[in-house]
């Protein structure tokens, strides 16, 4: 499922354009809810089945939900210990003129063939082992409406679209963390479909894009 990528760097911020790859209206979330872990919002798994989502347990691989619905997932930390985390997709919006200006300053004409979107998620720990500051966020991919990985941009140190490290308050105090991802699509093509979670550091990863089924956050 994953496509090969190429990486470009830009200064003064550390940026990377991960190549794989609109002029469409902004996609706005529906009414926000906070169902805790998994919800009864009729998420569907691959093959059109409706999985049984149990509060406090990991969602089955391949589960799909839209905006504002948490999915709980198993996660193996860098220390090979088990934890449960959860995440939800908050919004998919075209980059504003000011946001594009920042990105263009760092990437120049590399962005000319693309329309840029910002995708925002919220993450929270449910239970289990210590999640360290450098764990987890890199296991989310920007995907199209079919769940296939598409081009993304990484610009480290930009407050306008930040991927945050996990604090002690996240690990032990129940704090939510807002994460942001940048998707790039060819001009005139469809907006990004959403996000996919592809698993942690486990050897037998049920959410792996090749040997398993990612969790899909696609409206």
């Amino acid at each position: 499922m994953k496509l090969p990528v190429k990486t470009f760097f830009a200064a003064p911020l550390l940026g990377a354009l991960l190549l794989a790859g609109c002029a469409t209206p902004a996609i706005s979330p529906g009414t926000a809810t906070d169902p805790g872990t998994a919800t009864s919002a009729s998420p569907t798994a691959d093959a059109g089945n409706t999985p049984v989502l149990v509060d406090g347990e990991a969602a089955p691989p391949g589960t799909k939900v839209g905006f504002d619905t948490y999915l709980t997932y198993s996660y193996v930390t860098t220390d090979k210990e088990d934890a449960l985390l959860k995440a939800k997709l908050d919004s998919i919006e075209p980059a504003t003129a000011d946001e594009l200006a920042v990105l263009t300053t760092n990437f120049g004409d590399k962005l000319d063939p693309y329309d840029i979107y910002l995708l925002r998620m919220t993450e929270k720990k449910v239970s289990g082992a210590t999640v360290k500051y450098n764990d987890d966020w890199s296991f989310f991919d920007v995907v199209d409406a079919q769940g296939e990985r598409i081009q993304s941009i990484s610009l480290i140190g930009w407050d306008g679209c930040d991927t945050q490290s996990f604090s002690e308050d996240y690990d032990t105090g129940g704090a939510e963390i807002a994460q942001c991802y940048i998707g790039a699509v060819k001009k005139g093509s469809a907006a990004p479909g959403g996000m996919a979670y592809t698993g942690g550091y486990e050897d037998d990863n049920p959410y792996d894009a090749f040997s398993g089924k990612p969790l899909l956050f696609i409206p």
Side-chain angles (χ1 to χ4, degrees), residues 8-213:
F8 296 86
F9 294 96
L13 299 177
L14 178 60
L17 178 61
L18 307 177
L19 294 184
C22 324
T24 60
I27 302 174
S28 299
T31 303
T33 58
D34 185 357
T37 53
T39 78
S40 58
S42 299
T44 56
D46 248 15
N49 296 319
T50 300
V52 176
L53 299 179
V54 180
D55 188 50
E57 294 185 4
T63 301
K64 177 182 173 182
V65 295
F67 286 117
D68 297 308
T69 301
Y70 273 105
L71 282 181
T72 297
Y73 49 91
S74 61
Y75 176 72
V76 175
T77 71
T78 51
D79 292 330
K80 299 296 183 180
E81 296 179 328
D82 296 324
L84 283 177
L85 311 179
K86 65 180 180 179
K88 66 182 178 74
L89 178 65
D90 298 317
S91 64
I92 304 172
E93 299 287 343
T96 65
D98 288 344
E99 290 164 346
L100 284 174
V102 173
L103 293 170
T104 301
T105 297
N106 285 273
F107 293 99
D109 59 8
K110 293 184 178 71
L111 299 186
D112 288 350
Y114 304 103
D115 288 324
I116 308 300
Y117 288 79
L118 273 56
L119 299 89
R120 300 184 187 276
M121 300 189 75
T122 299
E123 292 185 83
K124 190 172 183 178
K125 184 177 178 182
V126 177
S127 62
T130 298
V131 179
K132 296 181 177 180
Y133 73 95
N134 60 344
D135 269 329
D136 178 64
W137 64 263
S138 60
F139 295 103
F140 284 92
D141 291 327
V142 183
V143 295
D144 64 17
Q146 288 70 50
E148 298 288 340
R149 185 181 182 186
I150 64 173
Q151 295 173 183
S152 62
I153 295 171
S154 179
L155 189 58
I156 298 171
W158 179 31
D159 291 339
C161 188
D162 194 17
T163 47
Q164 300 187 52
S165 298
F166 297 121
S167 63
E168 182 177 353
D169 194 29
Y170 170 87
D171 184 53
T172 62
E176 293 182 339
I177 290 182
Q179 305 285 37
C180 182
Y181 303 86
I182 309 170
V185 297
K186 291 286 187 180
K187 288 187 180 296
S189 59
M195 299 295 299
Y197 175 72
T198 57
Y201 296 96
E202 57 263 68
D203 295 326
D204 186 15
N205 175 12
Y207 307 119
D208 182 75
F210 293 101
S211 59
K213 294 180 179 180

